Amino acid sequence: MSQIHLRSFALVRNATTSEDGRTLSIRAVPWDTEIRLGPDVYESFARTAFDAQLRAANRVKLTLGHPRPGDRLTDSLIGSLQAMSAGPDGLDVEARVASSSAANEALALVNDGVLDQVSIGFFDVRTDRQKRADGGTLLRRVAARLDHLALVGEGAYGEGAKVLINDLDAD
């Protein structure tokens, strides 16, 4: 569990009402959706992948982009997760965005549709290796620890991971 892995997903915004417009509901990871990591290597996440962490959402930070090696997490920090649940289709999270200038800029970019992807940073805890019918290898992440959730410009899962509710458009 020493190497952090990064995976990206689409961010799609939908309006709802809230008091201050600083909460994002996000599909962070779709279940059992295969993506290609490299030649003949694919990955998917099992519904159980983040079960051990569901009650500790507030320990997971929301960042603008991924921290680069050597950076402090606080350099890109814009908020934190408030809740996580293993929904029927994926890992659903509620993220609370801070009121810093960087966070305000990130919210504006999400609202304008410029930042339309999310990406996770995670540590592998347990992976089942399976042979695919085409001869490739599937890395099925059965248990993982979510380190952070990042707003990014391009994702690996497309529409599989998205913002379910963006309360920035609230009246």
Side-chain angles (χ1 to χ4, degrees):
M1 192 168 80
S2 62
Q3 181 183 2
I4 193 165
H5 302 276
L6 308 176
R7 299 295 179 268
S8 302
F9 316 98
L11 180 86
V12 177
R13 37 188 213 91
N14 297 304
T16 188
T17 58
S18 88
E19 292 179 25
D20 65 1
R22 304 198 75 81
T23 301
L24 297 175
S25 293
I26 299 169
R27 168 71 39 78
V29 178
W31 303 140
D32 298 314
T33 301
E34 293 182 15
I35 62 164
R36 186 177 182 165
L37 296 181
D40 301 322
V41 180
Y42 299 82
E43 175 185 67
S44 71
F45 286 86
R47 189 183 187 286
T48 58
F50 299 99
D51 282 358
Q53 207 174 356
L54 294 177
R55 292 187 180 168
N58 62 329
R59 294 182 180 175
V60 179
K61 303 307 177 198
L62 180 67
T63 61
L64 179 57
H66 288 291
R68 297 173 193 251
D71 286 355
R72 296 173 303 167
L73 182 61
T74 55
D75 291 342
S76 58
L77 190 62
I78 59 169
S80 65
L81 303 191
Q82 302 299 299
M84 291 192 299
S85 65
D89 299 320
L91 179 67
D92 296 325
V93 303
E94 296 289 324
R96 178 80 178 154
V97 180
S99 59
S100 68
S101 59
N104 290 338
E105 289 176 22
L107 281 173
L109 292 171
V110 169
N111 195 39
D112 289 345
V114 175
L115 280 180
D116 59 354
Q117 308 280 311
V118 294
S119 185
I120 60 169
F122 70 96
F123 292 97
D124 180 39
V125 176
R126 190 173 126 229
T127 295
D128 290 344
R129 297 174 85 75
Q130 303 171 354
K131 271 294 186 201
R132 290 170 36 109
D134 64 4
T137 300
L138 173 64
L139 303 176
R140 189 163 189 265
R141 306 293 184 185
V142 177
R145 183 176 64 81
L146 191 59
D147 179 70
H148 65 277
L149 179 68
L151 297 176
V152 296
E154 186 175 330
Y157 278 87
E159 291 295 311
K162 57 190 174 186
V163 170
L164 303 173
I165 299 171
N166 176 359
D167 58 16
L168 296 172
D169 295 331
D171 294 326

